[in-house]
Amino acid sequence: DQQGVRVTIVAPGGLLIRALGGSLELEALAYDRTDRPIGDTPPRWYLHPDDDGSARVDAVTGLVEGLAVGPAIVVASVDTATASVTVIVRNDPDSVAVLPEDTTFTSVGDAAAVRARVFNERDALIAGASHVWRSLDPSVASVSATGLVTGLTEGTARIVADAAGESGTPAASGRGIVRVRNVPLSLDLTPGAVTLPWLGFLWARLL
């Protein structure tokens, strides 16, 4: 019988899981004392005893599933030979939704709160994901750090929420639209001629 004395682990798709619930496949290659490959002894997969629960691995197939953010040490064993790799589990932002997507103010100076929902690549909500707000049209509308939007002048503003990735740089962004109007709520009729274009006629001189 060929006895495995060396094991090499191969990760065709890399050793990074970018979303909780995501997975990757590992392969193990075993070699005997003459460094010839062993093909008839499947490896046994397990997690290192010091693993903190960031992942789980199928003992037969070597499929690793991410459960929590952090590193996971995965071990392959063939006979008396073992090898290990460290799989990194993250939960990176992949998309951001700004709600509501479209807001209309009827007066300059109006304000309303918007909120952001951040999702990973599996379209699962990332609870408590950090994000920052910015306005692409700050002369039309401003936005505070908490998402309070204020209309400053008539026009259309684009409000953006940026969700940070592992390095702190924006990994995903979402955009909402704010339309600022200045609709008159009352009309002061003083002596003189007043044009009401939205009614299509001229109000006669008031005496």
Side-chain angles (χ1 to χ4, degrees):
D1 289 343
Q2 290 178 308
Q3 185 80 10
V5 297
R6 182 171 69 87
V7 177
T8 300
I9 297 176
V10 179
L15 293 171
L16 175 63
I17 297 176
R18 296 185 179 276
L20 300 186
S23 61
L24 59 81
E25 292 184 359
L26 298 177
E27 300 173 1
L29 305 176
Y31 301 87
D32 65 14
R33 63 175 55 89
T34 63
D35 214 30
R36 291 183 300 179
I38 301 173
D40 58 352
T41 304
R44 181 175 66 90
W45 296 94
Y46 58 94
L47 294 175
H48 191 277
D50 293 337
D51 184 75
D52 62 359
S54 297
R56 62 185 171 201
V57 59
D58 187 286
V60 176
T61 65
L63 182 70
V64 183
E65 180 183 0
L67 302 179
V69 174
I73 301 175
V74 182
V75 182
S77 172
V78 176
D79 297 325
T80 59
T82 62
S84 65
V85 293
T86 299
V87 174
I88 302 300
V89 182
R90 299 208 308 238
N91 202 24
D92 294 339
D94 186 69
S95 63
V96 180
V98 174
L99 302 174
E101 295 181 1
D102 198 318
T103 301
T104 298
F105 293 151
T106 56
S107 298
V108 170
D110 282 355
V114 292
R115 56 193 177 93
R117 292 168 62 86
V118 182
F119 301 89
N120 64 22
E121 65 179 19
R122 293 171 56 83
D123 291 328
L125 179 67
I126 304 176
S130 61
H131 56 276
V132 295
W133 292 100
R134 57 191 172 99
S135 173
L136 297 183
D137 305 281
S139 63
V140 177
S142 64
V143 59
S144 71
T146 59
L148 182 66
V149 180
T150 303
L152 303 177
T153 188
E154 288 189 273
T156 300
R158 297 158 294 172
I159 304 300
V160 176
D162 295 316
E166 184 73 13
S167 62
T169 58
S173 298
R175 181 181 299 184
I177 298 296
V178 174
R179 309 175 197 278
V180 183
R181 306 289 182 258
N182 211 22
V183 179
L185 300 180
S186 62
L187 181 64
D188 183 13
L189 297 179
T190 56
V194 180
T195 302
L196 303 178
W198 62 91
L199 295 179
F201 64 88
L202 180 68
W203 192 273
R205 179 178 297 276
L206 300 177
L207 301 178

